[in-house]
């Protein structure tokens, strides 16, 4: 049973599949806490039946076979089929730009330096589908602080691996490679912003962005850049890949917002993978209590 931090959590949040049945594997990555879809820690206590539509974790098979990862193919099923091409060891991440201690770190050393946690987050794709994913990983802020960003660091830019042998989709100019994303500094340092290194208690599968990917649960899924090799502190707002591809369709902020339509479709509803009936999309993907203040006074229709 769980403490109900938010009214939209139900006991179904934590009963799906191996996640909680098999705590042994769940703890394999050295996890120290369980965090619910609200982003707040779960603990043993009683369940509240006044809950809103439930957020049952999406089955592992769906999370790992229905993917967007253009570097591994353009259909939903191709990233899992091409996953073996993406060799993720050795892997190093370079952190540079406006910081006092730039440097490169091997993935294994990054893991050693972080206390891993479990977090169950909703992921809402701009295309209109959503999932609930039990991640393992660490807060981005704890990682970034070690590089001592300076006062000039206003944004953080992320880049995925550029290697057409390991990422065959890069042999075609579908997008401008490497895949690039960005966050404002306060978004990057927000406690909900997460680097995932695993899911369902196991290492992150290649198709989900191994060995490490960003997760920003209140933003559309395209912000969650996969297989990161470079993180740069920058002064100017970076241009992200999808914005570069179609600026009228994909913005920098990409905050989940049922009131701001994509130019070609409404964002009011979503299809949770595995469900038949569509659900209403929640403002900021249901994380408004925690993050709405980041956008106070901003016109979210302009800054989409
Ligand atoms: N990262 C890279 N490098 N390349 C991509 O094509 N697709 C994005 C994002 N990260 C993508 C990426 C999109 S559109 C979404 S919805 C999510 O990854 C999907 O994550 P998932 O496949 O783990 O559900």
């Amino acid at each position: 049973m769980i403490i109900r931090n938010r009214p939209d959590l139900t006991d179904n949040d934590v009963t799906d599949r191996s996640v909680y049945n098999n705590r042994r594997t769940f703890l394999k990555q050295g996890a120290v806490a369980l965090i619910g879809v609200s982003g707040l820690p779960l603990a043993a206590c009683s369940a509240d039946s006044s809950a809103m539509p439930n957020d049952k974790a999406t089955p592992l098979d769906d999370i790992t076979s229905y993917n967007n990862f253009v570097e591994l193919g353009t259909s939903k099923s191709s990233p899992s089929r091409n996953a073996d091409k993406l060799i993720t060891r050795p892997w190093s991440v370079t952190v540079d730009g406006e910081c006092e201690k730039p440097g490169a770190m091997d993935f294994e050393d990054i893991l050693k330096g972080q206390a891993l946690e479990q977090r169950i987050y909703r992921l809402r794709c701009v295309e209109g589908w959503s999932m609930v994913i039990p991640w393992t990983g660490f807060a981005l802020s704890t990682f970034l602080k070690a590089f001592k960003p300076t006062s000039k660091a206003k944004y953080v830019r992320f880049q995925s691996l550029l290697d057409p042998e390991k990422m065959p989709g890069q042999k075609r100019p579908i997008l401008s490679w490497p895949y690039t994303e960005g966050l404002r500094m306060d978004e990057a340092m927000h406690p909900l912003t997460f680097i995932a290194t695993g899911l369902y208690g196991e290492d992150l599968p290649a198709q989900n962005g191994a060995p490490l990917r960003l997760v920003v649960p209140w933003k559309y899924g395209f912000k969650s850049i996969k297989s990161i090799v470079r993180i740069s502190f920058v002064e100017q707002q970076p241009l992200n890949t999808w914005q570069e591809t179609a600026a009228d369709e994909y913005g920098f902020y990409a905050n989940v917002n049922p009131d701001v339509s994509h130019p070609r479709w409404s964002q009011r509803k979503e299809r949770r993978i595995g469900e038949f009936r569509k659900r209403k999309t929640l403002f900021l993907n249901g994380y408004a209590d925690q993050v709405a203040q980041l956008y106070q006074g901003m016109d979210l229709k302009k800054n989409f």
Side-chain angles (χ1 to χ4, degrees), residues 89-115:
R89 298 291 190 285
W91 193 274
S92 120
V93 178
T94 299
V95 180
D96 59 11
E98 303 294 349
C99 60
E100 286 170 26
K101 297 190 164 190
M105 265 183 102
D106 195 72
F107 175 66
E108 312 300 337
D109 293 331
I110 294 175
L111 274 192
K112 275 185 219 151
Q114 300 294 327

Side-chain angles (χ1 to χ4, degrees), residues 67-71 125 160 179 208 213 221-222 224-226:
N67 299 101
N68 279 350
F69 197 172
V70 184
E71 291 93 323
C125 181
S160 297
Y179 194 98
N208 292 90
R213 57 98 52 90
F222 71 85
S224 295
I225 180 173
K226 296 176 170 181

